[in-house]
Amino acid sequence: YWLVAGDGGIFTYGDARFYGSTGSMRLNKPVIGMAPTSSGSGYWLFASDGGIFTFGGAGFYGSTGSMHLNAPIVGMASTPDGGGYWLVASDGGIFTFGDAHFYGSTGSMRLSKPVVGMVPSSDGKGYFLVAGDGGIFTFGDARFSGSLPGRGITDTITGVAPTADGGGYLEVSSTGTVYSFGDAPYFGDVASSDPGYPGHTLGVFAHAGA
């Protein structure tokens, strides 16, 4: 696996290979995440202004680095074939590059909480957006299986991960609590196994068999 720092420094472990970093570059905005290619032969780094930095076999298809954004970029996802990618802003605005298609956004909606991330559907013909209150917004062939608003839960949600068949998803909060919807199985979480956990969980990833 790879770890990425705010300056774009890359740290590799196991059989993950190093293809370069922005650690020595002067960045306009900090790097907030990365996405590997499906083959693991490269990766994209993305900054909060939507600047895209490509390494190894990851292709560059454009960025929002020179655009005036209404809200900062908070997430990125690549298409299944690696021929494009989506960027999502905290207002749910979607920016498409390469072979990534636009299926809709929340850019014109009034949101209770900002969008914190996105994930594509398994075939790349849709995507899920998740907000900080656990609200789920589905576009294209992404299926809605429920969400947290209205349940009296005050956790701050930080990530979402769909199951392989798209019939459900997991949401995770900053306290390490996992919430399951649809056919997503619940196997436990940090909050229940470690009551003293201070609460800094940033994301969730579903196992390929889920």
Side-chain angles (χ1 to χ4, degrees):
Y1 48 85
W2 298 269
L3 299 183
V4 61
D7 64 354
I10 293 289
F11 306 89
T12 60
Y13 301 89
D15 64 1
R17 296 182 57 186
F18 178 78
Y19 297 103
S21 75
T22 63
S24 61
M25 297 181 189
R26 182 180 177 87
L27 304 177
N28 293 325
K29 294 291 183 179
V31 168
I32 57 170
M34 72 172 293
T37 62
S38 58
S39 65
S41 63
Y43 40 76
W44 295 270
L45 306 186
F46 61 98
S48 61
D49 63 354
I52 295 288
F53 307 91
T54 62
F55 301 93
F60 180 78
Y61 304 104
S63 76
T64 63
S66 61
M67 298 181 188
H68 174 73
L69 302 177
N70 294 326
I73 298 298
V74 295
M76 174 193 175
S78 67
T79 58
D81 66 358
Y85 39 77
W86 298 271
L87 295 177
V88 62
S90 62
D91 63 356
I94 295 287
F95 304 89
T96 62
F97 301 93
D99 64 4
H101 292 283
F102 179 78
Y103 298 104
S105 76
T106 64
S108 61
M109 298 181 188
R110 183 180 178 87
L111 303 177
S112 298
K113 293 290 183 179
V115 167
V116 296
M118 73 169 293
V119 286
S121 58
S122 59
D123 60 5
K125 295 180 180 179
Y127 37 77
F128 304 82
L129 306 187
V130 62
D133 61 356
I136 293 287
F137 305 91
T138 58
F139 300 94
D141 66 0
R143 287 180 277 170
F144 180 77
S145 299
S147 65
L148 287 182
R151 298 189 180 192
I153 296 171
T154 59
D155 266 355
T156 298
I157 297 302
T158 57
V160 62
T163 56
D165 66 0
Y169 36 79
L170 301 169
E171 293 187 15
V172 67
S173 75
S174 62
T175 63
T177 303
V178 171
Y179 303 93
S180 62
F181 299 90
D183 65 4
Y186 173 79
F187 296 110
D189 55 36
V190 176
S192 59
S193 62
D194 183 6
Y197 180 66
H200 297 291
T201 303
L202 298 177
V204 60
F205 299 89
H207 186 275

